[in-house]
Amino acid sequence: MLEISDLRKRFAGGPDAPEGKVALDGISFTVRPGEMFGFVGANGAGKTTTMRIVMGVLQADSGEVSWQGRPLGYDDRRRFGYMPEERGLYQKMKVTEQIEYFGRLQGLSAQAAKKSATDLIERLGLVERRNDAVQALSLGNQQRVQLAVALVHDPAVLVLDEPFSGLDPIAVDTLATALQERCRGGVPVIFSSHQLELVERLCDSVGIVSAGRMVATGTVADLRGVESNTLRIVVRDPAPGWSDGLPGTVTVRGDRHILQTADVDDQEVLRRAMKAGHVEYFGVEQPTLTEIFKEAVA
Amino acid sequence: MNGLMLVARREIVTQVRTKGFVIGLLVTVLLVAAVSFLPMIMGGDSYTLGTVNSQQLPLRQAAPDTEFEWRTFPDEEAAKQAVLDGDVDAVLVDNTRVLTDGEIDSELGVLMQSVNREVKLGAAGVNIPPLQVQSVGADAQYEGARTGIAVVLVLVLFMLLMGQVTMVAMGVVEEKGSRIVEILLSSLRPWQLLGGKVAGLGVVGLINMVAILAAGLLAASASGLAADFPPGIAGLVAGVLVWFVLGYVFFATLSAALASLVSRQEEVNTVLTPLTMTVMLTYFVSFYITTDPTGTLATVMSFVPPFSSMVMPVRMAATEVPLWQVGVSMAAMLLAVAVVLAIGAKVYARAVLRTGARLKLTDVLRAK
Ligand SMILES: Nc1ncnc2c1ncn2[C@@H]1O[C@H](COP(=O)(O)OP(=O)(O)O)[C@@H](O)[C@H]1O
Ligand SMILES: [Mg+2]
């Protein structure tokens, strides 16, 4: 289990902003084995800073990252897989060599690195490109190599900063599948993204960060529970005044009346609507993650 | 340590495989070899002489380093033609006259006159013992060779130092600018990355150095130049390698630290300027010292790091240096290297993850 507790980070200011910039103002969350954690937040909210601190690339001013109950140390961290926000590969190095090299840096033997690189190249569809220099690859293929670099040592934890950005829908699916596989194997996965539908679809739990604070964490269902669910009824040609006394709003579109309400006896409302006219639609609408997100950061 | 080795190995493999490395090595090796043959091609004088109705003069005894080829002509007409065609440099006629095309080569002229005099006097029974030459300067016999070695050495040291030090800087910026360093530093410590890079590129420099020295020595023995080498050349070569390593570590670490302040390749030259100037200055001082290896400047500079890393080997090549001086100088240089390693590693570790605008060295040092 990966626990991030109360991270704080202030960046030193330049001459124009001598007071500096608080990037993290107490970030806490937990990721369990086999859990996929979606990290969302506006630009500049502090996602990248948090991930860099987790990866030891930045030092927090205070707070702690612990892994399996102990403070996360250098040796444990080598078993993590990381994809930084700004991608980085040696442009002139060949695909296979590059993946093998990072595998070795992360503690694999030469043989293990070779085997793992070969496997990944096959799984990620890079076989034809394996002897090409990275600079000769398309952006999508470079992303795959970057992912391979993060996965080569069969990491115990995956930390991916906006791994889906810039990918076409097919590449998104390939990546999503690769992540889900790892996750099912018991690896905690953290990734940040602005594609909220994707986060909603893939993630077991979500953290919403705003201005360096975690404003909401939990499963998508939990977050929905916090928000009140809306009841939505569409009635055609209802008798006038049918919704008098009910909370919520009625929108009239042609001969359709759309009632959006909450905190009511839904069965009672349905009976009234059926008596008043022809019910075309009746349902509880769950807010999308986008709505939850907007609400949370507002 | 293992991480450092992996980084170093990547650097070596990457650089050794480039065309630039192979071509550069070939060119320098050929140049050094050519320089070793140069004295033979230029300095090894040879003359073609002719006789008409004359005895050959025993010129060889008077000038053992010079080649003489003799031809005999049936009459003066044939000899004149050969002189005009440039087939022979001079023809001795009737043991009394010399035919040449224009003025005679002065060395040849003096040689023929004096040998002729000796022969004639000898025939008349006069025997003149040759003058005995005695040097009062130390090792005067090897002075030319020593200066030559020193000059070549300065050039090679400078080229390799500059080349490898620039490579270090470019490598650092490549990793910083492309943010590879972020992945690297999630599995390596900054000193491993820095140390591996400096060590790897240093090994490449050493490979170059050894190849050049080997080519030089081989070519020198093939050309016969080695006969003029002072004794203890092996010790000198070993010393040069040690000094090269010291100078390289000093400058390469500084180079990495400076380069870590910028994020773009275009900024490398600017940020390296103070370092480049220092290397250049070291080079000029060393080059000047080859002309005056026993002067005060040479003695003083051979103790001041980082100048000593190039000046001392040049001094050692050009003249005898007391052992204690070498020891003191090396201790000072080692100390300087240690200081640079400590500060350089700190700057690098703090700066290499801060991409964006160029950082100020003072800010980086002051930051907590
Ligand atoms: N190296 C840095 N120096 C100064 N400020 C920084 C630095 N890195 C990030 N910040 C600031 O910290 C805040 C959080 O940034 P970041 O973690 O990159 O946000 P996100 O990844 O959520 O978009 C931003 O206001 C950003 O400007
Ligand atoms: Mg970010």
Side-chain angles (χ1 to χ4, degrees), chain B residues 156-215:
Chain B
V156 169
L157 279 172
F158 170 72
M159 273 182 1
L160 278 181
L161 198 64
M162 206 65 196
Q164 292 314 105
V165 161
T166 315
M167 282 290 177
V168 170
M170 283 175 15
V172 166
V173 176
E174 179 195 7
E175 285 169 357
K176 182 179 178 185
S178 65
R179 307 296 323 210
I180 302 168
V181 70
E182 213 173 297
I183 313 179
L184 292 171
L185 289 186
S186 67
S187 39
L188 286 170
R189 301 199 167 155
W191 66 262
Q192 290 178 311
L193 186 53
L194 174 69
K197 188 170 283 298
V198 169
L201 290 171
V203 168
V204 175
L206 268 185
I207 295 175
N208 264 304
M209 193 72 184
V210 169
I212 290 170
L213 289 176

Side-chain angles (χ1 to χ4, degrees), chain A residues 4-291:
Chain A
I4 283 104
S5 41
D6 204 25
L7 291 185
R8 281 164 205 279
K9 175 79 186 176
R10 172 195 288 273
F11 286 106
D16 40 316
E19 72 285 354
K21 159 92 197 165
V22 176
L24 301 186
D25 191 13
I27 293 273
S28 307
F29 61 95
T30 308
V31 192
R32 285 168 202 81
E35 184 175 47
M36 196 166 316
F37 184 89
F39 206 20
V40 300
N43 287 325
K47 305 179 292 295
T48 298
T49 306
T50 306
M51 290 181 162
R52 285 186 174 153
I53 290 171
V54 170
M55 290 315 297
V57 167
L58 260 182
Q59 260 60 55
D61 298 338
S62 68
E64 193 173 74
V65 181
S66 65
W67 166 239
Q68 292 175 333
R70 283 174 292 124
L72 179 57
Y74 171 78
D75 287 322
D76 287 328
R77 217 177 249 127
R78 280 181 80 188
R79 304 203 39 233
F80 283 30
Y82 179 43
M83 190 192 268
E85 179 175 29
E86 288 167 86
R87 315 285 185 242
L89 293 170
Y90 289 106
Q91 292 294 313
K92 290 186 184 137
M93 219 170 164
K94 290 180 183 156
V95 170
T96 312
E97 283 173 9
Q98 183 128 234
I99 301 172
E100 278 180 35
Y101 177 58
F102 280 103
R104 300 243 26 218
L105 285 185
Q106 279 148 332
L108 295 188
S109 69
Q111 212 175 3
K114 190 177 207 101
K115 183 172 178 323
S116 177
T118 315
D119 284 356
L120 277 167
I121 284 172
E122 197 158 313
R123 279 237 310 267
L124 296 173
L126 290 167
V127 175
E128 262 123 73
R129 298 261 161 264
R130 63 179 185 273
N131 289 324
D132 289 359
V134 166
Q135 61 188 359
L137 300 186
S138 69
L139 225 58
N141 278 337
Q142 293 197 11
Q143 286 268 63
R144 289 173 203 223
V145 179
Q146 194 85 52
L147 178 68
V149 163
L151 295 178
V152 60
H153 55 305
D154 200 8
V157 176
L158 270 174
V159 178
L160 312 164
D161 202 350
E162 304 199 12
F164 293 99
S165 79
L167 293 187
D168 64 47
I170 307 215
V172 166
D173 278 349
T174 316
L175 176 54
T177 312
L179 296 190
Q180 280 171 324
E181 262 170 34
R182 299 286 164 153
C183 215
R184 247 178 266 127
V187 172
V189 177
I190 309 175
F191 74 89
S192 65
S193 178
H194 292 298
Q195 286 149 279
L196 298 182
E197 305 78 56
L198 198 61
V199 174
E200 193 167 357
R201 177 156 71 84
L202 293 177
C203 291
D204 307 300
S205 54
V206 175
I208 301 177
V209 60
S210 172
R213 287 169 193 272
M214 204 58 135
V215 289
T217 40
T219 61
V220 177
D222 284 346
L223 296 182
R224 283 193 182 119
V226 174
E227 307 294 310
S228 52
N229 292 345
T230 328
L231 185 63
R232 184 179 152 101
I233 306 178
V234 181
V235 196
R236 210 156 149 187
D237 265 339
W242 72 280
S243 58
D244 290 352
L246 288 176
T249 57
V250 178
T251 325
V252 180
R253 251 190 224 137
D255 53 3
R256 286 186 178 82
H257 287 221
I258 303 153
L259 170 71
Q260 279 178 294
T261 182
D263 301 327
V264 289
D265 178 353
D266 49 2
Q267 297 308 309
E268 172 57 26
V269 173
L270 179 59
R271 265 193 296 274
R272 269 173 78 166
M274 284 173 72
K275 214 180 286 167
H278 177 78
V279 175
E280 280 188 342
Y281 176 90
F282 173 86
V284 175
E285 302 229 311
Q286 293 189 323
T288 62
L289 185 55
T290 311
E291 286 160 334

Side-chain angles (χ1 to χ4, degrees), chain B residues 15-33 156 159-160 163-164 167 204-205 207-209 211-212 215:
Chain B
Q15 223 198 348
V16 166
R17 264 199 219 149
T18 59
K19 275 202 205 89
F21 173 81
V22 179
I23 294 172
L25 188 58
L26 274 178
V27 168
T28 28
V29 162
L30 285 179
L31 268 178
V32 168
V156 169
M159 273 182 1
L160 278 181
Q164 292 314 105
M167 282 290 177
V204 175
I207 295 175
N208 264 304
M209 193 72 184
I212 290 170

